[in-house]
Amino acid sequence: MDLTLTPEQETFRETVRTWLRANIPEEWARQTVAGSDIPRVEAYDLLRRWQRTLYDAGFLGLTWPVEYGGRGLTFVEEIILQQEMALAKAPPVLNVLGIGMAGPTIIAYGTEEQKKRYPAKILSCEEIWCQGYSEPNAGSDLAALQTRAVRDGEHWVLNGQKVWTSFAQFADWMMLLARTDPAAPRHKGITYFLLDMRLPGITVKPLRQITGDAEFNEVFFDSVRVHESEVLGGVNSGWRVGVTTLMYERLTLGFGLQVRLRIALDGLIEMARRVEKTGRAVTKDPLTRQKLAQLWIETESLKYTGARALTRLLRGELPGPEASAGKITWVDVNQRLQEIAMEIQGPYSQLRRGSEWAVEGGAWAHSFLRSRANSIEGGTTEIQKNIIAERVLGLPKD
Amino acid sequence: MDFGFSQEQELLRATARKFFENECPSTFVRARMEEPVGVTDGFWNKLAEQGWLGLVYPEALGGSGLGFVDLTVLMEEMGRCVMPGPFFSTVLLGGLAILEAGSAAQKNEWLGKIAAGEARTTLALTEPNARWDAAGVTVTARQGGSGFVLNGTKLFVPDAHLADVLVVAARVAEGKSPEDGVSLFLVPRDAAGMTVALLPTMDQTRKLCEVTFRDTPVDAGALLGPMGAAWPSIARVLQRATVALCAEMCGGAQKILEMTTDYAKIRVAFGKPIGTYQGVKHKAADMLVDVENAKSLTYYAAWAMDENAPEAGLAASMAKAYVSDAYRKVAGTGIQLHGGIGFTWEHDLHLYFKRAKSSEFTFGDAAYHRERVAQLISL
Ligand SMILES: Cc1cc2nc3c(=O)[nH]c(=O)nc-3n(C[C@H](O)[C@H](O)[C@H](O)COP(=O)(O)OP(=O)(O)OC[C@H]3O[C@@H](n4cnc5c(N)ncnc54)[C@H](O)[C@@H]3O)c2cc1C
Ligand SMILES: Cc1cc2nc3c(=O)[nH]c(=O)nc-3n(C[C@H](O)[C@H](O)[C@H](O)COP(=O)(O)OP(=O)(O)OC[C@H]3O[C@@H](n4cnc5c(N)ncnc54)[C@H](O)[C@@H]3O)c2cc1C
């Protein structure tokens, strides 16, 4: 057991740290919302530029192969980068779904042509990706998806609808799951497509969320013609490919999530120091201290649980039970953190952006509302628990 | 960066698992619960033969010179079988106090004997005020005669009735701070005016005592560490013992998770194994999450101890806060998912449930350690 870094890794840390100090955009410090883990619409332009800057400096795709635009480094460097970004309160990357999911999946399953074509542009933020999995009648039960793709010569013709598709209104590409063989068993008739969002027949309708923002969308396909070269991982093999994407999501986004959580917690503590309740700083209130300390402890535990999972990966072992604990813990801690932020603000938590009385410009009201999605997006907590019970603990399937 | 156990450590785990399955089945545990001693000479000698009584003592003092991460592995296995007996009190409390604070002569006298299974000791720290901080030490040690005279009462002292020598924390002077003025003394079992009374405990695998001193004389050579300035040593011992306890608790929690999932696979209700039902599945998943996070924090704390990392104290408190809650919850859920059978004396679950409860309060409960975390992160 050794959590120390090699001299090369220490040097890398130093390089990242120095670079961040010099390059974090000034506007960010002003716009930054301490409690926010998801980029907000009004920050997109800034974040696009920021990702490009990170890419040009060589800090993106650290673990991706060099020939596909990456750096060929290990997950240790990736974690160092994420930690330093947290410490520096750096803006997040915009193309999260591309970097966290599309890129790694394409690198794992793509043809040589696909691997040359897509990953680098994901890193540089030239092409933003969204994930078209969920449908009105297929959420948790993803394999129930009904969007159809029918072969027509060299093309597949798409009809159907996706929903809750984050970033679809800005995305250039979509990871799309569609049914290509309705006669096959549910999991066997699905194909994974790389879909150009500019093709004719695609309509994107933003959906307003409880935050008031429109972050996710409905996406309709009306006889959209996709070329067969855009199939990823083989016709009717989409389930396997799609599940890989979800594994990457849990892994790569996992590191980032812990780090963003730590940023949010630091922000919460800073805010709490300034809030007075019955004549003293709320951080001196014994109950609040208990709650903040518990958040701290669990945020740290996520870090070390992540380190254990990473170690298995670096040793070339299969993921262990610790890998499953991450997402559930993160969701629980973040939602509790947001509740506590509201509690600390008391009546002020009712105010949102626009009121000069609102704490930190009403940012916490937004991140509080946004956190309700955490236990739904990327697989609900109930589904995560089913997976742990059945796959990790071996309890019988229903 | 590698945050996993080494091959040697995995080997130690396998050896220990097998050893305890053979030597410490629940029939053995239950027999020890019923009698005051809580251990057999045979079992104790076997622990010594394995080298486990001196695992973390330096080789020069008769130990194996291993670290806290190695110890973590062993403690997890001990927790798994709810091992009874004075291991904790002897090796990790009294023994570590001698290692931390003792003179070369004191270390030479005791640590080799402890490692060889020839001597037992404990740390008499807490008192009826039930505090784990320095302010809790009110037993007095007055200078007099050729040494000191002790007066007062210690409570919750583990295995004092088995100790050849007790390491006793006492106040030699009222200092500027509570830490100031605390000394440690080596008090032999037959010291005049000292009485040891075994307390009936809920967790019968852990024997606790009341120790009273009525004008108990100890000679000047009994002083362990600097006069009036032993608190830093005590704090270090507590920190280390806390981490070891957390590891033991993780081992117990892991075992309950396994017992419960095994049972849920075979117990049939409404025509199906109960593990088929989501009410059971989701609780089992919650148990796993608690157990894994508990391990992560504990392993980190053990590593921080070995590294003498500046954040080791914070790491220990983070672990104890989390693990105290986790073990209690996991043990409670384990009983729940077993239904009526889990509520019986015959089933082993209550051994773990009670161990979880006694461990929760040993070295400070979750609330105590969360407050410490709050202080250490400058809240
Ligand atoms: C903010 C946000 C962003 C999103 N972004 C995307 C995106 O970019 N791309 C995309 O494809 N999807 C996205 N989603 C969709 C998300 O993946 C789904 O909402 C999620 O998988 C749940 O599906 P559902 O909404 O249909 O709920 P349902 O599946 O209908 O679930 C309803 C409730 O029933 C429970 N439930 C369902 N089945 C079971 C079961 N077997 N056992 C126990 N309980 C069960 C669920 O846990 C939930 O509580 C997003 C969602 C949100 C909230
Ligand atoms: C102190 C005590 C006193 C008692 N006194 C009496 C008495 O006087 N008379 C009497 O007749 N009985 C008595 N009982 C028995 C009691 O009613 C049963 O223990 C109880 O009904 C549970 O049954 P079980 O023990 O067989 O557990 P099981 O039915 O085997 O249940 C084990 C676990 O599986 C869960 N489970 C089972 N089925 C499902 C499902 N479909 N969905 C989700 N979870 C499920 C249960 O909730 C439980 O957590 C007593 C029990 C106790 C502990």
Side-chain angles (χ1 to χ4, degrees):
Chain A
M1 201 170 279
D2 185 9
L3 284 168
T4 53
L5 300 176
T6 63
E8 292 77 28
Q9 289 162 346
E10 285 292 0
T11 309
F12 180 75
R13 184 190 285 284
E14 210 36 62
T15 312
V16 174
R17 189 171 290 180
T18 315
W19 186 88
L20 283 173
R21 216 175 286 138
N23 287 283
I24 292 179
E26 233 175 73
E27 317 111 89
W28 177 254
R30 268 179 277 121
Q31 280 190 18
T32 189
V33 285
S36 174
D37 48 352
I38 305 283
R40 289 188 74 173
V41 176
E42 63 269 25
Y44 281 5
D45 273 345
L46 184 153
L47 293 178
R48 200 185 272 269
R49 274 178 278 129
W50 165 244
Q51 187 181 327
R52 179 73 204 207
T53 318
L54 270 174
Y55 173 72
D56 289 340
F59 291 135
L60 287 181
L62 295 184
T63 61
W64 297 10
V66 178
E67 60 268 41
Y68 308 130
R71 296 283 313 277
L73 299 170
T74 72
F75 277 101
V76 178
E77 282 82 9
E78 180 70 36
I79 285 194
I80 294 173
L81 176 79
Q82 305 261 8
Q83 286 175 345
E84 290 302 316
M85 285 180 63
L87 286 173
K89 304 205 189 316
V93 294
L94 180 62
N95 202 4
V96 267
L97 299 178
I99 292 183
M101 303 164 87
T105 311
I106 292 169
I107 291 168
Y109 287 100
T111 61
E112 198 51 35
E113 238 184 325
Q114 288 170 330
K115 290 194 269 194
K116 289 245 157 69
R117 162 71 185 79
Y118 296 106
K121 292 203 159 118
I122 288 174
L123 295 176
S124 65
C125 214
E126 279 166 82
E127 291 176 349
I128 292 188
W129 283 69
C130 65
Q131 180 193 22
Y133 281 22
S134 304
E135 298 182 4
N137 292 313
S140 299
D141 188 10
L142 183 58
L145 62 89
Q146 292 162 350
T147 291
R148 283 280 278 130
V150 178
R151 197 184 260 291
D152 179 19
E154 281 184 16
H155 286 83
W156 290 87
V157 181
L158 265 183
N159 278 290
Q161 182 198 342
K162 296 290 170 182
V163 74
W164 325 129
T165 322
S166 305
F167 304 126
Q169 70 272 51
F170 307 99
D172 306 285
W173 290 86
M174 174 189 274
M175 302 165 252
L176 170 80
L177 291 181
R179 190 160 299 285
T180 38
D181 183 357
R186 293 192 332 150
H187 297 85
K188 299 253 162 78
I190 296 172
T191 298
Y192 195 112
F193 292 94
L194 310 176
L195 178 72
D196 182 347
M197 291 292 281
R198 269 169 294 243
L199 287 175
I202 300 178
T203 311
V204 177
K205 289 195 182 153
L207 290 167
R208 211 163 165 210
Q209 302 173 177
I210 64 173
T211 54
D213 287 356
E215 176 193 313
F216 59 28
N217 306 267
E218 289 178 292
V219 183
F220 298 90
F221 309 112
D222 180 9
S223 299
V224 179
R225 296 179 67 80
V226 194
H227 193 257
E228 62 183 8
S229 61
E230 309 288 24
V231 167
L232 183 70
V235 173
N236 293 333
S237 299
W239 185 257
R240 188 171 51 110
V241 182
V243 167
T244 308
T245 300
L246 294 178
M247 264 173 47
Y248 283 115
E249 175 182 27
R250 247 154 259 160
L251 197 76
T252 331
L253 297 185
F255 299 140
L257 289 179
Q258 193 277 334
V259 164
R260 312 304 312 175
L261 190 63
R262 178 57 190 274
I263 297 181
L265 179 56
D266 287 345
L268 174 63
I269 291 173
E270 268 170 46
M271 188 261 283
R273 283 188 209 287
R274 292 193 299 269
V275 174
E276 275 198 7
K277 233 171 210 169
T278 49
R280 62 176 175 186
V282 69
T283 45
K284 296 298 164 202
D285 166 56
L287 259 180
T288 307
R289 289 169 72 77
Q290 289 280 317
K291 291 178 185 176
L292 291 174
Q294 184 67 19
L295 288 176
W296 180 281
I297 292 163
E298 290 181 62
T299 303
E300 287 292 289
S301 99
L302 261 177
K303 181 156 88 196
Y304 302 116
T305 301
R308 288 169 63 211
L310 171 70
T311 296
R312 296 231 198 210
L313 196 79
L314 293 172
R315 288 179 177 184
E317 297 167 6
L318 290 172
E322 68 283 341
S324 321
K327 161 131 203 244
I328 290 186
T329 306
W330 175 78
V331 167
D332 180 37
V333 179
N334 192 47
Q335 290 183 341
R336 193 155 15 98
L337 186 154
Q338 298 297 339
E339 299 275 3
I340 293 170
M342 295 290 98
E343 187 183 312
I344 286 174
Q345 292 174 27
Y348 286 88
S349 66
Q350 303 169 95
L351 304 176
R352 51 183 193 110
R353 187 156 50 175
S355 163
E356 59 182 50
W357 291 94
V359 176
E360 295 181 2
W364 289 99
H366 176 267
S367 56
F368 161 68
L369 292 171
R370 182 60 183 79
S371 71
R372 288 323 312 171
N374 299 157
S375 46
I376 302 169
E377 57 197 333
T380 69
T381 291
E382 288 75 22
I383 296 300
Q384 303 286 342
K385 287 185 183 180
N386 287 349
I387 291 174
I388 291 180
E390 289 168 12
R391 307 237 182 98
V392 184
L393 296 173
L395 293 178
K397 286 207 159 156
D398 213 349
Chain B
M1 213 222 57
D2 183 276
F3 198 44
F5 293 103
S6 67
Q7 277 178 358
E8 293 76 19
Q9 286 158 346
E10 291 299 352
L11 192 66
L12 172 62
R13 186 185 295 285
T15 309
R17 171 98 31 118
K18 206 151 173 233
F19 175 89
F20 291 120
E21 274 167 12
N22 291 332
E23 305 294 336
C24 191
S26 75
T27 45
F28 176 81
V29 179
R30 285 163 181 271
R32 305 287 76 74
M33 283 162 56
E34 301 300 335
E35 41 184 58
V37 177
V39 70
T40 62
D41 288 342
F43 182 70
W44 195 248
N45 287 334
K46 282 182 189 158
L47 291 181
E49 279 164 27
Q50 294 289 342
W52 294 340
L53 297 182
L55 194 82
V56 289
Y57 301 158
E59 281 171 284
L61 295 168
S64 310
L66 294 183
F68 261 68
V69 176
D70 305 288
L71 180 69
T72 294
V73 171
L74 185 63
M75 297 310 301
E76 282 188 289
E77 296 307 313
M78 289 179 172
R80 213 182 147 82
C81 68
V82 228
M83 191 181 93
F87 179 89
F88 218 99
S89 47
T90 292
V91 175
L92 296 170
L93 290 172
L96 274 189
I98 295 169
L99 181 65
E100 279 292 331
S103 65
Q106 287 165 327
K107 288 193 255 192
N108 277 321
E109 181 180 359
W110 289 108
L111 293 177
K113 276 197 239 168
I114 290 174
E118 290 156 13
R120 291 171 196 159
T121 172
T122 188
L123 178 67
L125 171 65
T126 45
E127 302 186 4
N129 60 41
R131 295 177 67 148
W132 290 98
D133 57 2
V137 179
T138 69
V139 164
T140 55
R142 219 176 355 98
Q143 260 169 318
S146 61
F148 300 84
V149 179
L150 302 183
N151 273 293
T153 302
K154 293 286 178 186
L155 201 61
F156 313 114
V157 184
D159 306 313
H161 63 310
L162 306 177
D164 300 295
V165 65
L166 284 77
V167 178
V168 180
R171 196 162 286 286
V172 290
E174 289 301 330
K176 280 189 241 67
S177 69
E179 289 76 20
D180 202 9
V182 176
S183 282
L184 287 173
F185 297 92
L186 285 165
V187 182
R189 66 189 313 164
D190 54 3
M194 180 175 85
T195 41
V196 174
L198 189 61
L199 305 165
T201 43
M202 178 169 73
D203 171 10
Q204 292 168 281
T205 68
R206 289 264 207 249
K207 313 293 184 190
L208 296 179
C209 301
E210 176 198 63
V211 181
T212 42
F213 303 99
R214 204 160 289 137
D215 293 327
T216 302
V218 291
D219 54 56
L223 185 69
L224 189 74
M227 176 77 173
W231 188 257
S233 301
I234 298 172
R236 274 178 61 84
V237 170
L238 287 181
Q239 214 172 77
R240 289 166 172 255
T242 298
V243 177
L245 180 62
C246 287
E248 196 196 70
M249 295 165 82
C250 286
Q254 172 67 39
K255 174 70 181 177
I256 296 171
L257 175 60
E258 291 170 25
M259 287 161 81
T260 305
T261 45
D262 286 349
Y263 186 69
K265 287 173 197 172
I266 55 162
R267 171 67 177 170
V268 173
F270 306 102
K272 291 178 187 168
I274 56 169
T276 316
Y277 304 117
Q278 249 175 23
V280 171
K281 274 192 177 136
H282 286 192
K283 283 206 165 76
D286 291 340
M287 291 166 86
L288 177 126
V289 170
D290 280 340
V291 169
E292 291 304 325
N293 287 331
K295 287 182 188 169
S296 300
L297 286 163
T298 299
Y299 297 167
Y300 171 63
W303 177 80
M305 286 300 149
D306 276 344
E307 293 294 305
N308 272 317
E311 72 274 19
L314 174 61
S317 281
M318 293 196 303
K320 186 58 172 48
Y322 192 93
V323 180
S324 294
D325 285 339
Y327 195 9
R328 182 192 60 241
K329 283 194 277 177
V330 167
T333 309
I335 291 180
Q336 175 61 22
L337 294 184
H338 275 75
I341 191 81
F343 189 70
T344 61
W345 189 268
E346 184 197 352
H347 201 285
D348 286 340
L349 272 170
H350 72 100
L351 309 185
Y352 295 86
F353 185 72
K354 292 167 183 173
R355 178 64 74 82
K357 187 51 79 183
S358 68
S359 305
E360 187 181 338
F361 295 104
T362 303
F363 310 138
D365 64 3
Y368 172 81
H369 283 283
R370 278 193 291 266
E371 175 53 33
R372 276 186 63 87
V373 168
Q375 286 168 19
L376 291 166
I377 64 172
S378 312
L379 265 187

